[in-house]
Structure formats: structure tokens, C-alpha cells
Amino acid sequence: MVTTAPCGTWPSPVEAALVAAHGVRPESVGSVGDDVWWVVARPLEDGRRALVRRRPGGEESVALPAPWDVRSRVHEYGGRAWTGTARRGGGPLLVFVHGTDQRLHAWEPDGPDATPRPLTPLSPVGRGLRWADPVLLPERGEVWCVLEEFTGPGPGDVRRLIAAVPLDGSAAGDRTAVRELTDDRHRFVTGPRLAPDGRQVAWLAWDHPRMPWDGTELCVARVGRDGLTDVRTVLGGPEEAVAQVEWAPDGSLLAATDRTGWWNLHRVDPESGQAVNLCPREEEFAGPLWQLGQRWFVPLAGGTVAVLHGAGPQVLGVLDPVTGALADVAGPWTEWAPALDAHGTRVVGIAAGPASGYEVVELDGRTGRARVVGARRRDVVDPAYCPRAEARTFTGPDGRPVHARVHRPRHPELAVPEGELPPFVVRAHGGPTARTPVAFDPGIAYFTSRGIGVAVVDYGGSTGYGRAYRERLRERWGVVDVEDCATVARGLVAEGIADPARLAVQGGSAGGWTAALSLATTDLYACGTMLYPMLDLTGPGAETHDFESHYTESLVGPRDRVPERYRERSPLRRADRIKVPFLLLHGLDDPVCPPAPSASLARAARARGVPHAHITFEGEGHGFRRAATLVRTLEAELSLYAQVFGFALSGVPELELDR
């Protein structure tokens, strides 16, 4: 029987420890011969990323034990950190980046000595030598990849290029043994893609102040005996973003470019640069290149292409580039991560559904059948406690559409009492050039199963809805995102879905910026939670890492032309306008959003008597990885809502608010 109980008090099996243990997803899946490999975070092992191997018989095991940590820190956000090849009669050979020292290592898991050996040296300068998106070329005795080399102590003292590292280990103690294949004419480059005949190579490049979703160049060069020659740009530019490039079996290039206003897949002549749209649609066949090695499409043997596509969520399909026909894969998956890999006609990827987390899925390109082959998600939570996401489009200022997904409270035995409206948390995603995946999130179920609704907002500036929607935030960060979140909050109230007196706003990173400004510029929210937020664009804590160091020129405007706008928009400069309780959570080793402004915001609140909590974590960076941290943050957020919204809470430590 279903009874009623006050919202927030519902007993739930979705504990914080369960969310911390099962809220991770596989990453960087790939095929090595008949084996499938992937990386998975281990929150209970200080967040290390373990390499997992699944053999053809179905046996799945962690291949690299602790303390090995397969993780690259290129751009601080990292990227694909491993690759492998099946050697005839010799077993697999893998190359990976070890997170602790950022050195490339070679590893023969089936060899007589299964200990990884270093391929690259340590650097005494700045933040060291870093590597990402490797490509193994055993016939050349090398691995080609992106090199990020710091030349001084500052975050901007850095150069990036494509380099060749010898597999014999001769560069392990000798930086000069690393061959530089490109110069540093561009500030940023992606990993190399070699043509089927090995005679040409392609990659993407861009420069400050652009981000890779603003404008990139597709570069092509010929492979010579001593390096690359005839380097030329064949596609892209300041106002055209090429998100991915691969070679087709026939020697032409496949590229996802947004020249039509949407990231569509094009066939590109590597000599003339002539591009033909293979499937013209108002859908995205790619996304924002936040990490090197992301793959939204892969060519298959026989000429077809496996693609991710959609407006908002992306699903897997197989495209016939000759006819333009696109057949989607059947199955329960509503979201696929940009991590496709192919071996012949077999595709492996990472997918999730509305009631199940991310799994490793294999598609047979010949039959169109897909099946789970690894990281299978068991129901750690009874599906009856899982929320049902409602895709909604609200109408914002000037009639503009605002996309969101609404998760109402859901419990198999309890309902909202008559006369009560549930509290709601309005979530702003990070980025801000990103979106929230349409996939089961135990962190959302943690709240909805207790009677608290959650609305996630793909505000203007989000990806997945075309370039025009993405550029709605241009020079209006801190305005459009705040307005769009408010639009969703007011819409829920107007429809009688949410309690107007019990609204909260929450966000991490750029979403933390939006949450802080929402508290400072509106009176909608009773409280807010900010995780590792960006709070200041003007003070000593405003310096960030090189990748995003010019990001604000498109989000806010050129600093030399509108310096006052940087001060006006910074949440820290509006601290005196925040009058409701809030929670600040920050890692002390965060190179992206330095922790100092969070401490300043907490001091300002203390001086004015605004209830707040400021919790910091040693050893955590941008995005929390450790189980203990994840548990603490969830329980602290829930306790904040209990105190502000006025419901009793048991089994969760009370958050001490500084007044």
C-alpha cells in the first residue's frame, strides 16, 4: 500500500556510500584483438583508474593492480590514456599513461615479465611531461601521441605538439630521444590519425582565444622518413569547429564539422578539402572536445560508419555514406558516451539507459545486434526507487526554448501528502559548453527517493542542440544561464509541481558559477550548493589552467574591451547580495577553479552572518574522485536541505552551518 509522508523524510535504500561506489562509469573502451579493454575509476582506491580486460569467453578482470593509475592530465581534463595492439604470436602490447608521474609505459600483460616499463622521462620543469591519445605503430617501433611539455612553473608555460616515442625505452631517461613530428605553431593539437596506407596523417589544431567548439583546423601532412612534410589545413577555421577526424578505408577523410550549424558527418578530400555532407540533419553527430581522444564515429570494414547522433541525447546508429541511410541500434540505451572503437565490423562503446548506468556494449555491424559485454550493471537499487526523467522544453525570455529534464520524487511505498508540494533542486551542469546526459544517475535517485525533486537544465550555451543554441551564451555567461535556470524553476512552480518556498540551486565548476549568481541575482531559491565553483574572474584566484585561460573571451567578452563586465559578473563581487544559506565544497588541489575564491566567499558570508558551510578536501582536484569525499558531499547537501526546508533527517550527519 502507498501511504504519505512529508517530503525529505522518506526512507531510502539509496545511501551515499552506494552512490559513491556505483556512480562511476567505464571510460576509454577499446579492442585489442578479440579482447575488450576499458578504464574504470575506483573511488574506494583513492579514485585511481584501473585498466579492465574482458576476454572472449566473458571473463572480466582488473588487469593492472594498484597502484597503477591509467590517467592523463593533458589540458588538466585528461584524455585517452592508453592504446594497444595484438601482435601476431606475441600477445597484446599496451601503452598507457601512469597518473602519478604522467610517464608513458609499455606493458605486455601476457609476457614473461608483466611489469610495465617506462618509455618517457620525468621532467624537472614546471608540471612535467604529459601524454595523451596514443597511437601504436609497432612496425615503426614507436608510439605517436600528443605531448604537453611545460617549459616553466606557470600554467601558461607550455607547448603542445605531436611526438613519436620509441618503444625500446631509449627515451625513458633521454628527452632528446623523443622525435617531435610537428612544431608548436598551434597552441593545441589532437592525436594523430594515420591513413590506411601510412603515407598521410591528419589531426586537429586550434589556438587561443578559441575553444575547440568555436573553431578548429583539420591539418593533413605527408609522412616522410624523418618526419612530416607538406603540412596544410584542408578544412575548418575560426568560425568552423571540426570535432573529430578519421580516415575511411578508401583513403578519404571523415570529419564531423558544424559548418551547417550542426555537427554533421562529412567526407573530405584530403587534397582539395572539398567536403560533402553524408547525412544532412538538424542533429549533432559530435560534441564538445573536452578530452583528447573522444570519438563520436568510427569507420567500419565494408565502408559503413558507426555514428552517435541526436538532438540532445545521442544514440548509436550505422550510417551508409553512399545512400545516407541511417539505422539506429535497438536496445534500452538512451545515451552513448563519445568513446567508440571498432575492430573490423565490430563496434564497442559505453552506453546507459534511464534506469541503468553505463555499460560496455558491443555491436555486430553486420547483423545490427548489440549486447552488453562488460561492466554489466546489476540493479543495486530497486528500479521502483529510480526517478523517471521527463524531457521538457520551457519558454524563456524572448520566447527562447530552454531544455530540461524533470525528475519528480518517486518511492514505491510513499507519496507526497495532499496539500504539500515537493521541494526541488535545480541543477546547472558544468562546462558551461556541455550538457547533462540522459542516463540513470544514482546521485539524482539519492534525492528523489527521499521526496526531493531534481530538475537538470540544459541552459542556453549547452551542446546537443546546434551551434546557435550553443552560442546563445556568447558574452552572456552569468546572464542567460541564470535566466534559463530561473525559467525552469518558475515553470515548475507555475505548473504546481514544485514548492515555491523550497527551491534550491546546485552546480559544479561552471555550474557552481551559475548557482552562486542565481543566489545573488534572484530571490527564487531558499539555498544553494556549489561544488568546486568558478567564482572570480578578476582577483588573484582567477588564474586557471592554460586550456581555459581565454575561455571567458567568448563567454564574457574581450577583457581589454569590457573589463568592468568581468567584475560585475563575478559571483565573489556580488557576495553581499547572497542572503540565503549555502554550501561550498572544494578540493584544495584544484588547478581549474582555484580554491581561494571559495574561501573568500565563505569569509564574506561569515562577516554578514549568512548561514553557510565551507568544506575543503585535501588531495582532491577538479571533480571529486575518492569515496569518502563523495559520501561527505552528498550527505552535507542533504543535511543543508533538511535544515532549510524544515524536514527531519535521520542517519545522516548534521551539517554544521557557520553563522
Side-chain angles (χ1 to χ4, degrees):
M1 294 181 60
V2 176
T3 59
T4 62
C7 292
T9 67
W10 301 356
S12 170
V14 189
E15 300 292 346
L18 182 147
V19 176
H22 298 280
V24 298
R25 74 183 193 189
E27 304 170 0
S28 302
V29 67
S31 298
V32 181
D34 293 328
D35 296 349
V36 179
W37 299 69
W38 63 90
V39 174
V40 66
R42 298 283 180 177
L44 296 176
E45 300 177 35
D46 284 337
R48 85 172 181 101
R49 281 170 164 75
L51 192 59
V52 178
R53 180 182 189 179
R54 188 258 190 195
R55 298 175 186 268
E59 179 186 349
E60 179 181 319
S61 61
V62 174
L64 266 176
W68 295 107
D69 179 17
V70 182
R71 180 167 59 98
S72 168
R73 289 191 59 188
V74 167
H75 297 176
E76 298 300 346
Y77 290 120
R80 190 171 181 88
W82 77 275
T83 188
T85 187
R87 297 176 300 169
R88 187 174 301 173
L93 169 65
L94 277 76
V95 171
F96 68 91
V97 180
H98 180 40
T100 302
D101 58 18
Q102 289 298 289
R103 300 172 80 184
L104 272 177
H105 288 72
W107 181 45
E108 300 177 51
D110 299 339
D113 182 6
T115 302
R117 53 185 176 83
L119 297 180
T120 56
L122 293 169
S123 171
V125 179
R127 305 182 186 193
L129 297 170
R130 299 176 179 180
W131 315 85
D133 203 7
V135 176
L136 255 175
L137 302 172
E139 69 280 3
R140 294 177 176 269
E142 294 177 326
V143 54
W144 290 12
C145 51
V146 173
L147 163 61
E148 181 178 73
E149 182 173 26
F150 284 85
T151 57
D157 299 327
V158 63
R159 59 195 293 263
R160 299 178 185 90
L161 47 95
I162 298 174
V165 177
L167 289 171
D168 62 9
S170 58
D174 182 6
R175 166 64 180 85
T176 63
V178 175
R179 286 200 306 137
E180 297 186 2
L181 298 175
T182 60
D183 56 27
D184 50 4
R185 72 181 69 179
H186 291 292
R187 190 71 169 185
F188 302 95
V189 293
T190 64
R193 298 292 182 261
L194 262 73
D197 61 7
R199 295 180 179 178
Q200 295 190 86
V201 62
W203 67 93
L204 305 180
W206 68 98
D207 295 286
H208 288 317
R210 295 188 300 276
M211 299 299 287
W213 43 84
D214 295 325
T216 59
E217 298 178 19
L218 196 172
C219 301
V220 177
R222 303 193 187 282
V223 179
R225 179 176 301 178
D226 300 320
L228 305 182
T229 62
D230 189 23
V231 179
R232 59 201 185 278
T233 296
V234 299
L235 197 71
E239 300 298 326
E240 179 181 357
V242 184
Q244 183 188 339
V245 60
E246 306 289 340
W247 291 91
D250 65 0
S252 64
L253 286 167
L254 298 174
T257 172
D258 67 351
R259 56 173 45 194
T260 65
W262 297 80
W263 271 307
N264 280 187
L265 188 63
H266 290 67
R267 187 182 298 281
V268 181
D269 186 309
E271 299 299 329
S272 67
Q274 182 179 358
V276 177
N277 196 336
L278 299 179
C279 188
R281 293 191 180 193
E282 290 191 346
E283 293 184 5
E284 305 282 38
F285 286 71
L289 190 63
W290 277 103
Q291 294 183 313
L292 297 179
Q294 290 178 298
R295 299 178 81 178
W296 291 269
F297 67 87
V298 286
L300 304 179
T304 57
V305 187
V307 297
L308 302 183
H309 72 101
Q314 291 185 312
V315 296
L316 178 64
V318 177
L319 172 67
D320 184 336
V322 176
T323 65
L326 178 58
D328 288 343
V329 173
W333 309 287
T334 54
E335 188 77 64
W336 290 71
L340 297 181
D341 191 49
H343 179 64
T345 59
R346 184 181 70 175
V347 182
V348 288
I350 299 168
S356 62
Y358 286 93
E359 307 169 296
V360 177
V361 180
E362 179 184 85
L363 166 69
D364 186 329
R366 295 169 299 182
T367 65
R369 295 178 180 175
R371 63 190 181 108
V372 178
V373 296
R376 184 181 295 274
R377 308 297 296 197
R378 68 182 193 278
D379 287 334
V380 294
V381 177
D382 185 333
Y385 291 91
C386 298
R388 293 172 176 166
E390 304 169 33
R392 298 290 308 277
T393 301
F394 296 84
T395 301
D398 304 321
R400 67 181 185 241
V402 180
H403 302 294
R405 279 174 298 283
V406 178
H407 306 80
R408 305 190 197 207
R410 186 166 185 253
H411 195 287
E413 299 174 354
L414 295 170
V416 180
E418 186 175 352
E420 181 181 358
L421 290 173
F424 253 84
V425 180
V426 176
R427 283 191 177 184
H429 62 69
T433 311
R435 65 177 177 85
T436 305
V438 180
F440 173 64
D441 182 347
I444 291 178
Y446 180 77
F447 294 101
T448 57
S449 62
R450 288 172 166 79
I452 302 171
V454 177
V456 295
V457 184
D458 280 348
Y459 48 82
S462 299
T463 53
Y465 307 99
R467 182 159 186 141
Y469 194 90
R470 193 165 81 239
E471 292 190 339
R472 186 186 294 173
L473 205 61
R474 185 173 289 274
E475 297 197 11
R476 300 193 69 198
W477 186 39
V479 178
V480 166
D481 47 326
V482 172
E483 290 176 347
D484 287 359
C485 286
T487 290
V488 173
R490 292 191 180 103
L492 294 175
V493 169
E495 294 176 14
I497 294 174
D499 185 343
R502 296 192 293 175
L503 295 174
V505 62
Q506 187 254 34
S509 190
W513 156 283
T514 303
L517 280 174
S518 295
L519 297 182
T521 60
T522 77
D523 58 1
L524 275 173
Y525 308 101
C527 61
T529 300
M530 292 154 276
L531 300 89
Y532 35 89
M534 173 59 71
L535 296 175
D536 189 16
L537 301 179
T538 61
E543 185 181 58
T544 187
H545 60 139
D546 184 63
F547 178 63
E548 292 182 278
S549 60
H550 293 255
Y551 195 7
T552 54
E553 292 197 26
S554 62
L555 294 173
V556 180
R559 190 181 294 267
D560 58 347
R561 286 190 0 225
V562 290
E564 71 287 347
R565 193 183 294 169
Y566 280 72
R567 175 173 289 274
E568 292 169 359
R569 298 269 183 91
S570 294
L572 184 58
R573 307 301 170 180
R574 299 188 179 194
D576 61 324
R577 303 184 188 181
I578 298 178
K579 299 178 174 61
V580 298
F582 63 85
L583 170 63
L584 266 175
L585 304 158
H586 220 125
L588 294 178
D589 296 337
D590 190 339
V592 177
C593 296
S598 286
S600 297
L601 183 62
R603 285 193 297 270
R606 187 179 306 114
R608 297 176 51 253
V610 176
H612 69 282
H614 176 219
I615 305 174
T616 58
F617 301 94
E618 292 276 359
E620 290 282 14
H622 196 68
F624 301 142
R625 299 187 298 131
R626 297 172 177 172
T629 305
L630 297 171
V631 169
R632 179 85 185 280
T633 58
L634 271 176
E635 292 183 340
E637 185 179 351
L638 179 60
S639 179
L640 173 70
Y641 301 152
Q643 295 179 54
V644 174
F645 296 156
F647 58 81
L649 198 62
S650 62
V652 173
E654 182 175 352
L655 176 68
E656 183 177 347
L657 293 175
D658 190 339
R659 301 174 189 271

